[in-house]
Structure formats: C-alpha cells, structure tokens
Amino acid sequence: MTDRVERFLLRGAPVRGEIVSLDEAWREVVARHELPPAVRDRLGELSAASLLLAATLKFDGAMVVQIHGDGPVSLFVVECLTDGSYRATVKLRDERGPIAHDASLASLVNAQDGGRFVVTLDPRGESPNRQPWQGIVPFDGHSVAEMLERYMQQSEQLPTRLWLAADERRAVGLLLQRLPDEGGTDAADDEDGWNRMQRLAETITPEELLGLAPAKVLERLFWQEALHAFDGRGVHFACNCSREKVVGMLRMLGREEVDGILAERGSVEVRCDYCNELWRFDPVDCGVVFAQAGDLAPGTATQH
Ligand SMILES: [Zn+2]
C-alpha cells in the first residue's frame, strides 16, 4: 500500500478516473489530532476527495478545500499542494454534544442549514497568468461524496462520481468523470461507457476500498474494461508552518498585545492547527522579535 494518486482513462470513451490511497500520509494526520471517529473518518474522506480533485490542477500551487460548519464541527480544512504534499485539520465546537459513531457529514456541518463549502485555488511561484480564485457555495448533500458530486456538476458541469472510505489507518477514494463531448462519432458507445463504469463502481463496498490495494480495486471492478493508466504521483504529509511565520504573526499582533500575554502567562505559545507543533516565545524571544522589526511602536508593524 502506498500514498499515491493514479489516473486512468477508459479507451474509446470520454471517461476518466482516478484512485487515491492514503496510508502513511493519512496516519500522520490522525496521529496529530484527537478526533471522534466519525469526524476523523469524514476528514479522511474529504482528504481523499480533495487529492483526487487536485490531481488535475494545471498550475503550481495549492488547492484548499474548506467546509465551514454550523454543527459540532465548525471547520474542516484540507490543503493539497501540487508537489504532492498535503495537510488537514478540523475545528470542533466547544459546546458540542456527543457525536454518533456513524455521524454523516451533513449532521456535523449543516445542522441548521448554515454550512458553506469553499474551494480556493492559490497559484504560487512560477505560475504565469494565474490569479487566486475562490468559490463559495451553500453546503448541499449528505455525505462528502454527494457534496462534491453536486459541486462538480454545478461548478464544472462535469458529471462526476466519487466513492470514498476512511478509518484510522487508511483514506481511499475513487473518482469517475465524464469528459465533455469533443464532437466524436461514437456518441452512443461513449454514453454506454460512462453508464457501465458507474454501474461497476457502484458495486464497491467501503470495506473493499479500505482492504484492497488500489490496483486490486481497479481489477475487481473493471477487469473487463480497457483501462489505460496514464499518470500517477506520490502524496505525502507536510506542514509548512515555521518559527518565522509565527514571528510575523506576533509582529502583526503588535508589541502591546504580546507584552499583555507575557504579563499574564509568562510566555507566548502558538500551536499549529495542522501539525500540532508548539511554537513558544519567552520574554527574551519576544524582545528579539520586536527588536528585529526595527523596534516599532505598537501597531505600526501592520502598516507596511
Ligand atoms: Zn504545522
């Protein structure tokens, strides 16, 4: 089992597919967060789905998928970089009640119909002519798969199907997508290819997705089909938080605020939501932070 996204095409039909298997990369996320099982598994499904969608990005940078919730979970975030690195986090509401073992995504984030789904594309580095882009839509659907299928239909007009499963060890996802017709001559065959692939994929169970290697899943479902594997790439967990970024944050806060925290607690501690790293600054560290900033007066550090 490896951390990879594999892409394939159905020969002679406008159907493409992808399968992602997260093992070590997912366990890195699980180990860093103490989550109720249902929240953990929905985060795993969202991780797998996000990596499937990110696999087709045509720029260098990041895709960030967020669900802002009004239920027991206030925020899901999955960030995928086009270099294959990935990180994810969840914010639980303090005043939440008990969460059922099999709680659906809708019950976690859309309890009062106030959930929102946000996709951000963030080209970085050498990505000419690309502007950051953000799409925000009301939460729609029951499961992670249903939410994304409806989103893809509305935003891209591409019929897309997803099968997702996650537990404490693995997060796995299968995607099928009907590509736009190119005016080919085999429209009837094409239509059947799309329907046939969906019917075959619908026979997969979460237990099979979690228990079989990706190649075995494809073999079990599509052994009679002419699949053409054309691309694959590795995925790994990585967090890009750093002491320098926290220094920048403290400068934004301003010296007065930081001195207030120091007076109250003796040190300033910032924990990374993604990797759980604790960045600690004692009074001497904080003195250096503001001395390096040119010893600016409180608040002025935010004005450049
Ligand atoms: Zn981090």
Side-chain angles (χ1 to χ4, degrees), residues 26 77 79 95 142 155 164 171 173 185 203 229 245 260 279 297:
W26 171 235
V77 187
E79 183 187 80
E95 67 278 19
H142 182 73
S155 68
L164 308 166
T185 52
T203 66
K245 285 188 182 173
W279 303 100

Side-chain angles (χ1 to χ4, degrees), residues 18 40 44 46 59 180 225 235 292:
E18 295 173 14
R40 177 199 64 205
L46 189 66
F59 62 84
E225 301 292 335
V235 176
Q292 281 175 348

Side-chain angles (χ1 to χ4, degrees), residues 26 36-46 101 144 165-168:
W26 171 235
V39 176
R40 177 199 64 205
D41 294 352
R42 300 298 86 76
L43 181 66
E45 291 165 4
L46 189 66
H101 213 73
V144 176
D167 61 13
E168 75 278 15

Side-chain angles (χ1 to χ4, degrees), residues 59 62-64 118-123 130-137 151 155-156:
F59 62 84
M63 184 184 93
V64 184
V118 183
V119 178
T120 307
L121 301 181
D122 182 12
R130 291 300 302 236
Q131 296 295 314
W133 175 90
Q134 190 168 69
I136 305 176
V137 297
Y151 174 77
S155 68
E156 314 281 325

Side-chain angles (χ1 to χ4, degrees), residues 32 87 237-242 271-277 279:
R32 286 171 160 81
R87 59 181 187 166
F237 172 85
C239 190
N240 60 6
C241 67
S242 67
R271 194 175 283 282
C272 175
D273 288 336
Y274 291 93
C275 69
N276 214 24
E277 177 85 33
W279 303 100

